[in-house]
Amino acid sequence: MTTTQTRTLAVPGVDLVYDVRGPLPPSDGRPVLLMIGQPMTAEGFTALAPHFTDRTVVTYDPRGLGRSVRTDGRTDHTPQQQAVDLHHLIEALDAGPVDLFASSGGAVTALELVAAHPGDVVTVVAHEPPINAVLPDAGAAERARADFYQAYQTKGAGAGMAAFIAMTSWQGEFTDAYFARPAADPATFGLSTEDDGSRDDPLLSDLSWAISDYRPDVSRLAAAPTRIVIAVGEESTGTYTARTALGLAALLGQEAVVFPSHHGGFLGGEFGYAGKPEEFAARLREVLDAA
């Protein structure tokens, strides 16, 4: 069994907590495999990381999430700031450029990291990054985002999450038919209808809008030495994050690589959103080894 070491890196504005599985530097000379998400913490990779016992794997809690306590007084989550944090983390590992598997909002952070610090990453697998700007219906996607935000603000987390699920499971562009639907019922998804009064959820509030508002710098990404792979889940077809993945891949002049399962395909059920982590890991290994 690989031993996990938990470490803390003090960087401006946050004490960044990360977990290292395996030796540093890696004993076989291969890059560290860094796994990131947003707003997911290191906990989200507990099912995926054990499938890479032959690699040194690093996971972390992004700024202001989980164990990474902010000291900067801010509450917003931006890919630019998180990319700076990752740059500091990669420097602290002192093992050279990394391979990077990045999920959802973490994939947006990964793109910013490659654009700003191209020498930090050998291969990045960006899995279903939620970027509105790459969609033909970008304005409607922003309106759909505003709808689940408003549901959260007026009725709490259950209503907000129900509206979020309705948005992210919708097939195709956000048309008039989407906006004519009745409000999503939390009970339909087994969610609570009680309102606990909090309004700071990083997913349902507007604190992370900078992520879906991100505009990738195609010229800088093209100039980077990093191998960029855009990934999409085979079960995600037609949904919001599948469409953003395909749109980004087209913008970069490539075809998206298909992975098993859905947006949370690497999860083992720890968030009630089980994927196929073993099959997902096999595909990720295949893509990384292709380099």
Side-chain angles (χ1 to χ4, degrees):
M1 175 179 287
T2 302
T3 301
T4 300
Q5 296 183 355
T6 298
R7 304 179 181 183
T8 300
L9 175 65
V11 301
V14 66
D15 291 326
L16 208 63
V17 179
Y18 63 103
D19 302 309
V20 180
R21 298 170 174 83
L24 281 175
S27 56
D28 62 0
R30 286 189 292 176
V32 168
L33 175 53
L34 180 58
M35 299 179 177
I36 68 171
Q38 170 63 37
M40 182 174 287
T41 62
E43 184 183 7
F45 299 100
T46 55
L48 182 62
H51 292 286
F52 292 89
T53 54
D54 59 326
R55 301 279 303 258
T56 296
V57 176
V58 174
T59 56
Y60 90 125
D61 290 357
R63 174 180 295 245
L65 300 176
R67 302 162 296 173
S68 292
V69 179
R70 300 182 81 141
T71 58
D72 60 2
R74 299 181 62 129
T75 57
D76 58 328
H77 305 280
T78 72
Q80 291 81 8
Q81 181 60 71
Q82 291 189 8
V84 171
D85 290 345
L86 284 175
H87 175 64
H88 288 311
L89 175 56
I90 292 167
E91 283 189 326
L93 296 176
D94 195 26
V98 302
D99 281 341
L100 181 56
F101 170 68
S103 168
S104 192
V108 181
T109 299
L111 294 171
E112 175 62 20
L113 175 66
V114 170
H117 302 283
D120 282 359
V121 185
V122 179
T123 295
V124 58
V125 178
H127 185 250
E128 300 196 4
I131 300 174
N132 288 336
V134 303
L135 295 175
D137 57 328
E142 291 173 4
R143 180 182 170 191
R145 179 184 65 180
D147 278 359
F148 76 70
Y149 165 77
Q150 190 60 37
Y152 176 53
Q153 292 297 313
T154 57
K155 297 181 180 179
M161 182 57 73
F164 174 80
I165 294 171
M167 174 191 173
T168 54
S169 60
W170 179 257
Q171 292 284 316
E173 296 188 13
F174 296 109
T175 60
D176 289 343
Y178 173 81
F179 295 106
R181 298 175 70 190
D185 180 4
T188 302
F189 305 104
L191 300 168
S192 173
T193 57
E194 299 295 323
D195 184 354
D196 66 4
S198 65
R199 294 295 185 271
D200 58 354
D201 186 287
L203 182 65
L204 302 177
S205 69
D206 60 354
L207 298 177
S208 301
W209 280 16
I211 293 169
S212 49
D213 283 339
Y214 183 74
R215 292 181 176 271
D217 190 325
V218 176
S219 61
R220 292 173 74 185
L221 292 173
T226 304
R227 174 177 172 245
I228 300 172
V229 178
I230 307 302
V232 62
E234 63 182 351
E235 297 174 21
S236 299
T237 303
T239 63
Y240 166 68
T241 52
R243 294 195 301 117
T244 57
L246 295 176
L248 177 60
L251 193 65
L252 297 177
Q254 61 176 263
E255 296 286 333
V257 175
V258 178
F259 270 64
S261 197
H262 44 60
H263 188 65
F266 53 91
L267 297 173
E270 55 270 46
F271 297 98
Y273 194 51
K276 300 176 181 177
E278 184 174 358
E279 295 176 32
F280 196 99
R283 182 62 166 143
L284 178 56
R285 181 181 296 277
E286 180 181 82
V287 170
L288 292 174
D289 287 350

